Amino acid sequence: MIAFMGYSLIIVFMMLIMMKKTSPFAGLAFLPVIWAVVGQLVGLWEFDIGQAALDGLMTTAKTGIMLFFAIYMFSLMIDAGLFDPLSNLMIRYAKGDPLKVMLATVALSAGVSLNGDGTTTMIIVCTAFIPIYKHLNMKMLDLAVLTMTSHSIINLLPWGGPTARAIAVMGVNESEVMRGLVPMMVVALIYMFVVAYMMGRKERQRLGVIKLSSQELDSIMEITDPEVLEIRRPQNVWINALIALTAIGLLVWGGIPSAIIFMIGTVLTLLINYPSVKEQKARIDGNAAEANQVVMTVFAAGVFMGILQASGMSDAIAHSLLNIIPASWSHFYGLIVACLSVPGTYFLNNDAFYYGVMPVLAEAGVTSGFTPLQLTFASLMGQAFHLLSPLVPFVYVLLGMTDVEMGPWQKKAGLISIGIFLMYVIVGAVLGLMPIYLS
């Protein structure tokens, strides 16, 4: 009966999210309290609901604080124009060669994706490259495919979203996760450059190389929006880049708490680029919506997990899963989780999968001998396909700007994403991050 209560909680939460009847924050914070009270009334369990919720919240607080300042720091970097030189450099490098254009598309998508925000990445990359693709008569489908698949790799950074959720749920160290993700991401990016090179060769054979004049390149790179120009700080690009690279380097090193790294980075970015109090308030207010929403959801996830654990629902579901999975398969549980994360993160949004499903899978995985860190890596491998889901909002930003249909885009990007997934699994297995077989 306890397992049934757990399953029903997860299913109702996921359905409400998918049907857009509630926000992730409201569902995560409110639904488990209802289930806990009902279970208490019928005598299924007895525990301090408020204390369980608070204990769970405290387990995700560290991740929430880190995410809060990371989003602010990179949002401020975008406001100041940190990625403008990279965008312009890629445009000048590509010129009129379709092969170079495709390589530059991957490079710019990966670079801009460091900000962790998909919508911003789609807008920046498409704004930079749509004029070139049109001028050279290249396929907009290729632009849409390369942009999203490249972004899916860098989106694994802890402030990108899914990794922060996985860290919060699994209670693992950010630095350990980061050190493991870096080689996976590097190999996947190399794969993407190979894919772009092969696609580019075909386009070069089809279209040839067209030389663009300096005037044409300048018109493509020009910023005309007065509001954007007002907050740009091109004179500070090098010091902003130094702050961003230092923050990432310190995060990988792990000697300083990640929340402190991004807090100091946010303060420095504000003081250097927007020294007046009025400017600082405007930039903080301008970037508050996304940061606040994400952090509130992470905190609410702690309440969800705290009650799920204290009530025994988590353990009950884990044992039921173990009974379903043949004993002979338990050695492959990490790979099973990796494979389940593909449909899990495609058909569900990240909140539903990591906060609703992953705690249950983790309980069963630990029982099978896998560590929380190994299961964290396994759960993230399905992100190779997540951004192809129609449930991802900024998909429609990309498809709208490129005027591409979802069907052909999903088909072509899906084939490339299979390769990304395989890169993750192979690197994870070779480095012992996610063993395919646990003896």
Side-chain angles (χ1 to χ4, degrees), residues 81-93 104 107-114 124 128-129 237:
L82 172 62
F83 298 103
D84 288 351
L86 176 61
S87 176
N88 294 339
L89 178 65
M90 290 298 100
I91 291 173
R92 291 193 180 281
Y93 160 76
L108 183 61
S109 300
V112 177
S113 295
L114 287 171
I124 291 176
F129 276 103
V237 64

Side-chain angles (χ1 to χ4, degrees), residues 346-422:
Y346 180 85
F347 292 107
L348 306 174
N349 64 26
N350 283 329
D351 294 308
F353 178 75
Y354 287 103
Y355 297 144
V357 178
M358 197 54 211
V360 178
L361 295 177
E363 289 283 345
V366 171
T367 305
S368 299
F370 288 83
T371 68
L373 186 61
Q374 290 169 341
L375 294 170
T376 299
F377 290 124
S379 73
L380 291 170
M381 292 178 180
Q383 289 297 317
F385 295 90
H386 169 66
L387 297 184
L388 306 185
S389 170
L391 299 177
V392 177
F394 58 82
V395 162
Y396 303 100
V397 176
L398 173 66
L399 298 181
M401 293 187 71
T402 56
D403 196 24
V404 169
E405 295 294 328
M406 179 172 286
W409 172 74
Q410 285 182 322
K411 183 178 179 180
K412 190 165 187 175
L415 292 174
I416 295 173
S417 296
I418 292 174
I420 297 175
F421 179 77
L422 291 176

